[in-house]
Amino acid sequence: QAGNRWKRRPLKRGRDMTSLAMGILTLVLILVTGELYRRLAVDSQAQTLTSVIEIEAAQLRTTLSEQAQLLGMDIQRDPELRQALAINDPDAIDAALQQQFHRYFVTAGVLDLAALVLLDEHLDTRGIARSENLHASSSPLCDATIAGLQTRSGYQRLQPLSASCLVNGRAVQTETVAIGLKPAGYVVVVTNPVYNLLPLENHLDTPITLSAPGGYRYYRSDDWQTDINPRAHVETVVQLNGTLGEPLLQVNVQGNFVEFYENLVNLQQWILGLAVAATLLTMFVARSVTGRLVLEPLKYLSSQLRRAGAGRRLMDKQHNVMAVHEFAELQELYSALQTMALTDPLTHLPNRLHFERLLENLVEQARQRNEEHVLCCLDLDNFKIVNDSCGHAAGDLLLQQLAGIFQEQIRDVDTIA
C-alpha cells in the first residue's frame, strides 16, 4: 500500500519534495558541522589555555627557585650563622635563622618564606625557624631533599638542590644551598609556591583558582564564576606535580571567549543564510530544468505512444492530451517503451533484438553449464502471393493468426520471435 501511494504522487510534487529534502539535509549537515566545529574550537582553545598555564606556571616556579637560591646564598654567608654552626649552639642557630626573616626577599614580598632549616654536614637538623603560617609539629623538608643530598658527592654537593612536595597537606618548595666550598652544612629555604603563582591571574588576564589535591582552596579570584556559560567560557584544569611526581597544586582557569563565540555564531548564520538561498535557487533551477528537459519531452513521448496504441492510462481527461503526471504513469511509460523496443508491433512477439539477446545468453549458458538448446528457423512459402492477391492487410492478419497458433503450441520455456 505504501508503494502504491508513492506511485500515485505527482511528478512535480515529487520533484519539489526531493529538492526540499536535499535542502533540509544540507541545512542539517551545516548545523551538525557547525556544532562539531564549535566543539573542536572549544577543545582547541582549552588545549591552548592549558599549554599557556603550564608554561607560565613553570616560569613562575623557576623564578621562585632562583630567588630562593639567592636568599640561601646570602644566608649561608652570614658569619653569625656559621659561628653558631661551628660551635653547635642551638639557641644561637635558631636566633640567627629567625633573623633571616627580616631580609629584603621576605620584607619586600618577593617570596613567601615558610621556614629556614640548617643541616650539618651529616644532614642532621641543627635548627629550624618557621613562619607563623607553618605547622610546627613536623619537619618542613621534602623527602626528595634529603634523598637528593644523600646521593650527591664531590662538586655536586656545592650545587643548589630544588624540591617540591606536600607537607601536612600544604604545598612547599625547598631550595638547598651549601655552606662553604667544603660544605660544613646546608641552608634549606622553604617557600610557599602558591604565593608566587598568584601572578598567573594577571599574566593570563582571567580568573583562577589555586587548590590542594585534597580540595583545600588556597586562592580564588574575586570575579570567579561558579556557573559559567559553556558556549562563552572555557574552564580548564592543570595539575602541577612535585619532585617525586605526586600531585602538588591544581590550577583552575576560566577563559572568556564571548567575542570568539559571537564571531563563530555570526559565521554560522551567514553559512545558513547562504545554504537557504542556495536551496531555494536549486529548487527553482530544478523546476525549470526538469520541466523543460524532462516533463515536456515525456509529455510529447506519451502523446506519441497513445497515438501508436501503447500505454493505457496516459490521457489527461481535462485537456484530452497525453501527459505524464504521476510516478505510476512514468512507470507505465517506461514499460511501454520497453515493450516497443523488444516486441514486434504487428505480432506482439519478441523482435530480432530481443531474440538475439536471448540467443547470446543461452549460448553463454551452454558453454558454462554444458547445456543444450535447439534453434528452429521457420519460413512461410508463397507469402508474397497473399500480399499481392489479398493485400497487405490480409498478409498482416495472416501473420498475426500464425503467431497466435505458434504461441499456443510452444512450451513456457520456449521462445518464438
Side-chain angles (χ1 to χ4, degrees), residues 115 117 125 128 130 134-141 166-169:
V117 181
T125 302
I128 299 178
R130 293 182 172 88
L134 189 65
H135 198 274
S137 62
S138 61
S139 172
L141 299 182
L166 291 175
V167 175
N168 293 328

Side-chain angles (χ1 to χ4, degrees), residues 56-57 60-61 109 112 192-211 218-221 249 251:
E56 290 287 344
L60 291 175
R61 294 178 70 179
D112 183 13
N192 175 21
V194 175
Y195 177 81
N196 291 82
L197 289 176
L198 294 180
L200 276 174
E201 183 177 8
N202 295 328
H203 291 183
L204 301 175
D205 192 22
T206 183
I208 67 170
T209 296
L210 301 176
S211 56
Y218 297 110
Y219 174 79
R220 169 169 285 181
S221 303
L249 284 170
V251 184

Side-chain angles (χ1 to χ4, degrees), residues 24 33 44 50-51 61 67 131 140 143 155 163 183 205 253 384 389:
I24 294 176
T33 303
S44 177
T50 299
S51 300
R61 294 178 70 179
Q67 293 169 344
S131 68
D143 294 338
Y155 72 92
D205 192 22
V253 178
K384 184 175 181 299
S389 60

Side-chain angles (χ1 to χ4, degrees), residues 25 50 60 74 122 141 146 155 163 203 207-209 230 266 283 372 376 383 403 414-415:
L25 178 61
T50 299
L60 291 175
D74 288 344
H122 303 294
L141 299 182
I146 302 300
Y155 72 92
H203 291 183
I208 67 170
T209 296
N266 291 335
M283 292 179 64
E372 293 183 354
C376 179
F383 180 68
D414 298 333
T415 300

Side-chain angles (χ1 to χ4, degrees), residues 49-174:
L49 188 58
T50 299
S51 300
V52 172
I53 295 172
E54 292 175 346
I55 294 173
E56 290 287 344
Q59 291 178 349
L60 291 175
R61 294 178 70 179
T62 300
T63 301
L64 170 61
S65 178
E66 294 172 350
Q67 293 169 344
Q69 290 175 13
L70 290 176
L71 176 61
M73 295 296 293
D74 288 344
I75 293 175
Q76 67 89 22
R77 286 194 294 265
D78 184 9
E80 295 182 3
L81 181 64
R82 290 196 175 194
Q83 179 64 27
L85 179 63
I87 63 176
N88 194 16
D89 185 350
D91 295 335
I93 291 175
D94 291 342
L97 290 176
Q98 196 66 42
Q99 186 65 28
Q100 307 306 320
F101 278 84
H102 302 287
R103 286 183 174 271
Y104 164 78
F105 288 95
V106 182
T107 58
V110 176
L111 49 78
D112 183 13
L113 184 61
L116 290 173
V117 181
L118 184 64
L119 304 177
D120 61 16
E121 57 181 332
H122 303 294
L123 305 182
D124 294 327
T125 302
R126 293 305 178 188
I128 299 178
R130 293 182 172 88
S131 68
E132 297 178 355
N133 298 327
L134 189 65
H135 198 274
S137 62
S138 61
S139 172
L141 299 182
C142 297
D143 294 338
T145 301
I146 302 300
L149 291 174
Q150 290 175 343
T151 57
R152 289 187 166 192
S153 61
Y155 72 92
Q156 294 179 343
R157 301 171 62 191
L158 301 177
Q159 296 178 348
L161 175 63
S162 300
S164 57
C165 64
L166 291 175
V167 175
N168 293 328
R170 305 294 291 270
V172 298
Q173 183 164 322
T174 64

